[in-house]
């Protein structure tokens, strides 16, 4: 008999981690060992299942270890360990309540692990874990499950969006909410969806549908979760995106390279550097990647009218709603409803009468109600519905007897309403309110002034003559400033189209001049049409007209002579205007002058005949021809040119005015909050010195200033925080006097040779870079 | 480090002796810690002091509860106490032996060698008849122990199995899910491989190490010995008809209690889980979970699952090792031959699981 072969496991100290390691390296040789352990695992599970609640510690520990072991190597023996996933699933499904907590966590972890090893698929894992999340009473398990489910969904969507899985899970969540609207379990659907929305994994209508269902459910927590999502989910998502982009800047490549040059060069450090470079590159690429389209949840809503109506009639309108919401929660719902109404311009007439009973100064958080009311107003709301509300606000809030804050909040609210629907105001009331301009309280005064300046623009007839101001009065006289009727909307157009028209005309003129034809020959219509057609054909040929700019002549900009402080933007991305062509035209100066004049004229007081003429021109060009790519490129160019010209001093004032206007009428998507309503009240009382200082420092009200410290101390702290030592200077300063004494005494008595030696040594050290040198 | 006058002063103070004065209390040291406390009531934990020793019953109860103790030595001592008590009071033992057995069996997979050795001592003292009804308890644990990584646990498991088979062989092999699963465990422990193409073909280009006789822990012939013995007694219990035919036995028992009819159905059952065969509440059983309480049935399953051929081949190879193990293996071979003597391998049997 030959030398006996030594079994694989005999040589080593037999323990499971060791075996696991060996199996990973050579699964084939350790097949028997695995099947032994597999058998043991099976028997232990049987032992456990005999009496799940009374198992002893030792067997639970060994079962846990075995489950861990098997889950790590199960992928090597798919045939032997085929029932493993089912075992775990059954164990968890039927015994999650009485499993020992550590074992339970291990089972969950093992399921996730074998999912990573692709023994089971995501759908199986999620359908195992999700029902558990709903049923279990253990908080720690819920936390664990939630985290695992979330991370599973994240990893499943990390490389590319896993539409199938997403749809499956979304349907699961939707069904959970739809099947039993009263159950509090829906909160998990809300939590999961909100988290995934925040991370931009789910950003589609389906997720919004889930939240919509949640907002319409009959459990207050679920309702609040859904409503809060619509009110704040998008902001949260934006912040999360910003945060993650902030994190990207953590790797300082220059510093790392510098460090690598100084410190000892090892393979590890080289690898580190390489890795850092790779991450930086990856992040760079990520940064350059096109920004994913993310629509706000409010815009993704399907049937916002129905949603707003349901929300209102389910939670707010009835005397005894199915869900009892407290004031704060009601306010949230109201905020959402009014947001929807304002954003999508919905018609919900009952909403306005609902507000009526809340509009008294004694109502808690009345500013929020006022903000909601303003938010729910838009230009398609019938003025009849709003008039009583405005009247009531004016009666309740704005009076000499009311407190300054109350009056300013009331005036501000009225202004916010009237910005959106100017017709809600009548003449007497407005003239009454305008009188508060003379109030001694600054907040009230500012609010009243705001109201005046608003009505100077939108309804100057309602103001008394002396309040109208110059521009409004002129506008009224010329007829340019007309009161807009209910439902009337501004007509649209293509910006800069008139410029293009003019340019075309000039171009035609120039060609005619070149050919020597008489100027503007009207009977030569056929020739003109032919020319235009030819031009158009050429225009279509040149698809990417924007890429090859026809003008390589450098930037000649027509500068007005009267400008003192010329502010020309010299950034590279602005295209230089085609001044050459303009100059070669027959009468360049006069044409340009005209263009500028037109630009300079404020739209509030245009010449009526000129305006109507221009409207006609615009409609002619845009409706009779299809703009070619060349035309569009030219249009863009002309627009840029016009914007540059508008930077010039004459246009400057107008521009500032426009910017101020834009700031005044905020973006329709932005919500109005209670702060906007009560903001002006802060002006009523003088700020204390501390508040002023804090404001100047840019600190928020509650924030504390850092401790006072000397510059040196701050520098020292900074060094310490960076993990560095003190400077040599500091060390020298701190050195014990007695230690310096000996040297100082000796120094005077040194011989020349000694001195030379010392100095040479000093030079040498400097060259080396210190006592130890800078080597490696 | 007295660089400043202040520090020098402080340092000086450290070495100054406090002046003691007559009639004054000694000043407290700087590091004095006050240990006084205030409490509304002070409770002393009860300590049992009695002049009479506790009864044997109580002592055994206490020791049985100690079997779950965290400390190794306590479990060991408890086992030793119970063993002694059983030895001393063979007649009139005040406690249910079956209960003790049930509790003790949980220690089969104990990590301490001492405890397991003590457990084996206890088991040998237990009467086989009393144990019969609780036999399902240790079977799963023994099977788990057979494939354990720790040598000691394996050893204990085989010992316990041999002991069980000696007293209750028929019960062991005919209980639920034992026969096939144990055979599979034995197969894996001995590393007997069925002729499986999946294992042998995927090593093309490499000389395959013949792993067919590389049983777990085979460097220890003692364990291998034990293993072979256990297999032998297991196969003997499973394949060889013990005593008379069951019908003859039934007739005999009927004759004993002549005027009464079917008395055994009205008395307490003597075997564990008497209705397990019906499988009233469990999930449907597979072939390996099924219970086989008839010798012929066991033989049939043994052959049909291909285990017979595998075992015969494996034992044959094992026998060639010679020595003690070889002798034990030849015993197993004998049992196999005896058990399957009237078995025709080529004959087709109907499969009716």
């Amino acid at each position: 008999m030959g030398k006996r072969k030594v079994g694989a496991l005999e040589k080593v100290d037999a323990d499971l981690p060791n075996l696991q390691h060996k199996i990973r390296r050579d699964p084939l040789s350790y097949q028997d060992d695995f099947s032994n352990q597999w058998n043991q695992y099976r028997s232990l599970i049987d032992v456990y299942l005999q009496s799940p609640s009374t198992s002893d510690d030792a067997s639970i520990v060994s079962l846990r270890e075995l489950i861990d072991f098997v889950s790590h190597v199960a992928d090597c023996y798919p045939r032997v360990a085929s029932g493993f996933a089912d075992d775990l699933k059954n164990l968890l499904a039927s015994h999650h309540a009485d499993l020992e907590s550590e074992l339970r966590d291990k089972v969950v972890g093992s399921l996730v692990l074998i999912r990573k090893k692709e023994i089971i698929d995501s759908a199986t894992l999620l359908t195992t874990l999700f029902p558990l999340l709903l049923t279990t009473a253990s908080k720690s398990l819920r936390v664990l499950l939630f985290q695992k489910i979330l991370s599973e969904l994240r990893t499943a969507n990390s490389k590319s969006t896993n539409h199938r899985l997403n749809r499956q899970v979304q349907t699961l969540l939707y069904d959970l909410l739809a099947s039993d609207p009263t159950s509090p379990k829906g909160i998990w659907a809300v939590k999961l969806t909100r988290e995934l929305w925040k991370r931009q994994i789910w950003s589609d209508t389906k997720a919004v549908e889930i939240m919509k269902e949640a907002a319409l459910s009959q459990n207050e927590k679920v309702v609040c979760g859904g409503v809060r999502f619509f009110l704040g989910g998008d902001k949260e998502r934006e912040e999360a995106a910003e945060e993650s982009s902030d994190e990207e800047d953590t790797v300082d490549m220059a510093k790392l390279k510098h460090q690598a040059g100084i410190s000892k060069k090892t393979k590890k450090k080289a690898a580190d550097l390489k890795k850092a470079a790779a991450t930086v590159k990856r992040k760079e690429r990520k940064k350059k990647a096109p920004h994913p389209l993310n629509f706000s949840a409010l815009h993704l809503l399907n049937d916002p009218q129905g949603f707003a109506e349901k929300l209102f009639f389910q939670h707010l309108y009835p005397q005894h709603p199915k869900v009892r919401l407290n004031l704060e929660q009601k306010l949230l719902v109201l905020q959402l409803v009014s947001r929807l109404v304002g954003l999508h311009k919905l018609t919900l007439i009952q909403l306005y009468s609902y507000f009526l009973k809340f509009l008294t100064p004694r109502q808690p958080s009345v500013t929020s109600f006022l903000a909601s009311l303003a938010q729910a107003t838009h230009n398609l709301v019938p003025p009849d519905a709003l008039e009583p509300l405005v009247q009531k606000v004016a009666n309740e809030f704005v009076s000499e007897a009311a407190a300054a804050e109350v009056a300013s909040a009331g005036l501000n609210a009225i202004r916010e309403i009237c910005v959106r629907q100017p017709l809600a105001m009548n003449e007497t009331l407005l003239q009454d309110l305008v009188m508060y301009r003379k109030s001694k309280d600054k907040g009230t005064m500012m609010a009243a002034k705001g109201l005046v300046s608003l009505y100077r623009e939108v309804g100057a007839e309602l103001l008394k003559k002396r309040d109208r101001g110059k521009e409004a009065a002129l506008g009224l006289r010329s007829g340019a400033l007309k009161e807009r009727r209910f439902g009337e909307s501004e007509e649209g157009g293509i910006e800069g189209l008139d410029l293009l028209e003019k340019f075309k005309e000039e171009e035609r003129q120039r060609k005619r001049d070149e050919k020597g034809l008489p100027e503007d020959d009207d009977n030569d219509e056929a020739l003109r049409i032919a020319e235009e057609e030819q031009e158009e054909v050429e225009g279509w040929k040149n698809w990417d007209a924007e890429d090859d700019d026809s003008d390589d002549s450098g930037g000649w900009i027509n500068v007005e002579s009267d400008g003192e402080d010329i502010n020309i933007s010299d950034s590279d991305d602005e295209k230089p205007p085609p001044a050459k062509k303009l100059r070669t035209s027959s009468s360049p100066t006069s044409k340009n002058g005209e263009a500028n004049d037109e630009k300079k004229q404020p739209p509030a007081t245009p010449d009526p005949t000129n305006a109507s003429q221009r409207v006609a021109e615009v409609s002619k060009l845009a409706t009779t021809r299809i703009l070619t790519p060349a035309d569009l490129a030219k249009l863009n160019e002309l627009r840029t040119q016009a914007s540059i010209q508008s930077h010039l001093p004459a246009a400057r004032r107008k521009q500032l005015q426009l910017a101020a206007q834009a700031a005044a009428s905020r973006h329709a998507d932005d919500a109005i909050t209670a702060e906007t309503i009560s903001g002006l009240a802060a002006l009523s009382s003088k700020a204390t010195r501390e508040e002023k200082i804090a404001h100047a420092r840019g600190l928020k009200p509650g924030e504390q200033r850092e401790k006072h410290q000397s510059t040196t101390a701050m520098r020292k702290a900074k060094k310490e925080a960076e993990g560095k030592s003190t400077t040599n200077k500091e060390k020298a300063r701190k050195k014990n006097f007695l230690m310096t004494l000996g040297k100082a005494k000796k120094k005077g008595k040194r011989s020349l040779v000694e001195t030379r030696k010392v100095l040479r040594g000093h030079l040498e050290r400097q060259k080396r870079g210190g006592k130890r040198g800078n080597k490696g | 480090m007295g660089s400043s006058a202040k520090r020098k002063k402080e340092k000086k103070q450290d070495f100054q002796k406090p002046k003691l004065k007559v009639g004054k209390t000694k000043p407290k040291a700087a590091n004095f810690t006050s240990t006084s406390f205030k409490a509304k009531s002070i409770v002393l934990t009860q300590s049992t002091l009695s002049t009479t020793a506790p009864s044997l019953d109580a002592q055994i109860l206490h020791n049985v509860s100690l079997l779950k103790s965290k400390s190794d030595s306590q479990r060991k001592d408890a086992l030793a106490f119970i063993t002694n008590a059983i030895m001393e009071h063979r007649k009139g033992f005040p406690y249910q032996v079956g209960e003790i057995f049930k509790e003790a069996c949980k220690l089969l997979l104990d990590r301490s060698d001492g405890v397991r050795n003590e457990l084996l001592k206890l088991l040998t003292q237990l009467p086989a008849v009393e144990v019969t009804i609780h036999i399902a308890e240790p079977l799963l644990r023994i099977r788990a122990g057979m494939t354990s990584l720790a040598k000691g646990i394996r050893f204990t498991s085989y010992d316990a199995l041999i002991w069980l088979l000696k007293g209750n062989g028929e019960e062991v092999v005919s209980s639920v899910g034992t026969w096939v699963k144990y055979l599979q465990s034995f197969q894996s422990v001995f590393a007997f491989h069925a002729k499986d193409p999946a294992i042998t073909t995927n090593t093309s280009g490499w000389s395959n190490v013949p792993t067919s006789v590389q049983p777990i822990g085979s460097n220890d012939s003692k364990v291998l010995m034990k293993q072979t013995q256990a297999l032998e007694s297991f196969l003997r219990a499973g394949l060889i008809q013990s005593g008379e035919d069951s019908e003859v036995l039934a007739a005999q028992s009927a004759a004993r209690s002549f005027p009464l009819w079917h008395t055994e159905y009205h008395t307490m059952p003597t075997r564990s889980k008497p209705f397990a065969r019906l499988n009233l509440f469990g999930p449907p059983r597979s072939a390996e979970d099924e219970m086989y309480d008839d010798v012929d049935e066991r033989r049939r399953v043994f052959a049909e699952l291909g285990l017979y051929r595998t075992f015969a081949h494996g034992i044959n190879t094992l026998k060639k090792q010679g020595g003690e193990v070889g002798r034990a293996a030849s015993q197993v071979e004998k049992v196999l031959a005896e058990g399957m003597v009237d078995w025709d391998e080529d004959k087709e049997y109907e499969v009716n699981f």
Side-chain angles (χ1 to χ4, degrees), chain B residues 43-272:
Chain B
V43 179
L44 294 176
T45 48
Q46 293 282 313
S47 60
T48 50
L49 287 175
S50 74
T51 46
T52 55
S55 66
L56 182 66
D57 198 358
Q59 274 179 330
I60 289 174
L61 195 69
H62 176 62
N63 277 292
V64 168
S65 76
L66 278 184
L67 290 182
K68 284 175 188 163
S69 158
K70 292 250 185 251
S71 125
D72 291 347
S73 56
Q74 219 158 18
R75 276 179 313 214
K76 200 171 106 182
D77 292 346
L79 279 170
F81 178 85
I82 295 169
T83 316
N84 280 335
I86 290 176
M87 266 160 48
E88 280 169 24
H89 307 271
R90 283 225 170 270
K91 279 172 197 164
F93 188 67
Y95 200 78
Q96 283 272 325
V97 176
E99 292 301 313
I100 293 175
F101 177 66
K102 240 165 89 176
E103 284 301 317
C105 280
K106 287 181 181 162
L107 297 178
L108 269 169
L109 297 176
D110 200 287
R111 296 202 165 181
S112 146
D113 285 334
V115 175
R116 274 183 278 106
N117 288 336
E118 206 58 51
L119 173 67
L120 283 177
K121 277 184 206 160
L122 170 65
L123 289 183
T124 49
Q125 294 304 319
L126 294 177
V129 194
E130 300 260 0
V131 164
T132 315
I133 201 159
H134 298 294
I135 204 129
E137 204 63 40
L139 278 177
L140 281 172
R141 286 198 166 75
I142 288 176
R143 184 152 62 82
M146 274 164 64
T147 51
S148 172
L149 272 180
K151 206 190 343 173
I153 294 182
R154 263 182 280 149
F155 217 86
T156 314
S157 301
Y158 292 126
D159 273 335
L161 181 61
I162 291 170
W163 170 78
L164 261 185
L165 287 166
K166 208 191 284 172
N168 297 295
E170 178 65 22
E171 282 299 318
V172 170
V173 291
S174 63
S175 59
V176 182
T178 308
W179 178 242
V180 177
K181 280 194 174 170
Y182 262 81
L183 284 176
Q184 279 171 347
S185 284
F186 271 117
Q187 185 190 358
S188 127
V189 160
F190 278 104
F192 294 156
H193 286 297
K195 294 278 175 292
D196 191 350
I199 297 169
T200 46
T201 49
N202 56 6
T203 54
S204 56
W206 292 91
S207 60
N208 196 6
V209 179
T211 50
S212 56
V213 269
Q214 298 293 314
I216 180 171
S218 55
N219 62 344
D220 196 344
S221 61
K222 251 181 160 178
V223 179
L224 191 56
M225 216 11 234
K226 216 22 141 221
Q227 225 166 270
T228 324
Q229 279 173 5
L231 177 61
E232 186 215 327
S233 42
F234 187 72
L235 287 177
R236 190 183 290 284
L239 295 177
I240 297 172
Q241 182 85 39
S242 60
E244 293 96 307
D245 210 354
S246 54
E247 285 172 28
V248 181
L249 277 174
Q252 277 175 355
S253 70
R256 266 202 299 278
S257 57
F258 162 60
L260 304 171
W261 194 247
H262 283 169
T263 21
E264 68 271 26
Y265 298 124
H266 303 288
T267 57
M268 289 292 282
T270 52
R271 54 183 300 180
S272 87

Side-chain angles (χ1 to χ4, degrees), chain A residues 393-688:
Chain A
V393 173
N395 289 345
E396 295 270 357
F397 289 78
V398 191
S399 73
E400 286 297 345
E405 291 87 0
V406 175
S408 77
L411 278 171
N412 214 6
I414 291 174
R415 187 182 162 273
E416 290 292 341
I417 295 167
C418 293
V419 164
R420 288 161 181 78
Q421 177 56 295
L423 299 174
M425 182 63 80
N426 60 31
E427 203 171 339
T428 22
L429 180 60
L430 180 62
Q431 285 171 7
D432 194 21
L433 291 179
V434 162
M435 308 270 263
Y436 285 90
R437 214 163 32 147
K438 299 274 153 50
S439 168
K440 273 178 193 161
D441 179 62
K442 201 172 178 191
T444 316
M445 179 197 67
M446 294 291 278
K449 277 188 175 171
L451 201 59
V452 173
S453 64
L454 169 71
Y455 270 92
R456 278 181 181 171
E457 279 168 32
V458 296
E461 304 96 292
L462 298 183
L463 290 167
K464 272 186 192 159
K465 240 178 205 164
R466 61 160 186 267
D467 295 331
R468 285 178 191 168
K470 184 183 163 196
E471 279 190 8
L474 282 176
L476 272 180
R477 195 176 301 161
S478 66
L481 206 62
K482 263 191 290 182
E483 194 189 8
R484 202 173 280 170
R485 309 281 288 276
F486 175 63
E488 192 182 336
S489 65
E490 212 172 341
E491 55 210 50
I494 301 171
E495 190 197 336
L497 198 64
D498 49 337
L499 296 174
L500 184 69
E501 176 95 56
K502 197 175 289 295
F503 170 74
K504 289 218 166 220
E505 188 61 32
E506 279 164 16
E507 200 72 341
R508 204 165 61 85
Q509 201 68 34
R510 186 174 59 84
K511 274 184 188 167
R512 282 170 161 272
D513 288 352
E514 276 170 7
K515 285 178 186 170
L517 290 169
E519 208 166 297
D520 247 358
D521 194 355
D522 281 341
N523 17 348
D524 211 325
E525 197 64 27
L527 188 68
R528 182 179 160 177
I529 290 168
E531 266 178 10
E532 270 183 8
E533 272 175 3
Q534 189 201 348
E535 199 179 291
E536 199 171 330
V537 168
E538 274 170 14
W540 283 111
K541 272 184 205 163
N542 195 3
W543 262 110
D544 30 341
E546 278 137 277
D547 289 352
D548 46 1
D549 270 336
S550 54
D551 42 10
D552 44 355
S553 57
W556 282 98
I557 300 169
N558 295 321
V559 178
E560 277 188 349
S561 58
D562 59 354
E564 283 290 315
D565 49 344
I566 300 167
N567 183 12
I568 299 170
S569 165
D570 54 354
S571 66
D572 296 334
D573 50 11
E574 276 176 31
K575 285 175 194 154
K580 193 173 162 192
K581 283 175 195 168
L582 288 175
R583 272 188 295 140
T584 50
S585 62
S586 59
S587 53
T589 45
S590 68
K591 293 278 176 187
N592 275 325
E594 259 179 48
N596 284 340
D597 285 346
E598 268 188 23
K599 199 68 204 167
K600 267 188 284 178
Q601 275 169 352
T605 58
D607 184 28
T609 51
N610 194 1
S612 60
Q613 197 183 334
R614 203 170 43 174
V615 167
E617 275 171 23
V618 165
S619 61
K620 201 176 120 199
L621 186 65
T623 51
T624 54
R625 295 188 48 188
I626 296 171
L627 296 181
T628 62
D631 283 341
L632 291 174
K634 194 76 220 172
L635 182 66
N636 214 3
E637 210 169 86
L638 291 168
R639 246 189 245 160
T640 322
Q641 187 189 1
S643 79
I644 290 173
Q645 280 169 345
S646 70
H647 273 294
L648 302 179
R652 191 99 187 241
R653 200 170 61 92
K654 178 72 203 153
Q655 205 181 2
L656 279 174
Q657 202 179 333
L658 279 174
Q661 256 179 27
S665 60
R666 262 168 271 103
H667 193 264
D669 277 9
D670 290 344
I672 307 174
T673 56
E675 284 79 57
T676 25
I677 300 293
S678 60
L680 285 179
L683 293 173
S684 308
S685 58
K686 266 189 178 172
T688 59

Side-chain angles (χ1 to χ4, degrees), chain A residues 335-375:
Chain A
Q335 242 168 339
L336 177 57
V337 172
S338 58
R339 191 88 194 279
L340 282 169
V341 169
L343 188 63
H344 293 282
K345 300 205 170 174
L346 309 175
T347 311
L348 192 60
I349 301 296
Q350 285 95 331
L351 176 65
Y352 304 102
S353 54
Y354 171 77
F355 274 112
L356 212 51
K357 68 179 169 194
F358 296 106
L359 297 181
T360 62
R362 271 186 297 281
Q363 167 72 31
S365 53
V366 68
T367 44
S368 296
F369 278 104
L370 288 172
S372 294
L373 173 59
Q375 204 164 233

Side-chain angles (χ1 to χ4, degrees), chain A residues 5 10 28 32 36 40 57, chain B residues 70 144 188 193 203 218-219:
Chain A
K5 286 249 160 53
E10 290 169 41
L28 206 64
D32 292 331
N36 276 332
Q40 199 187 2
D57 292 347
Chain B
K70 292 250 185 251
S188 127
H193 286 297
T203 54
S218 55
N219 62 344

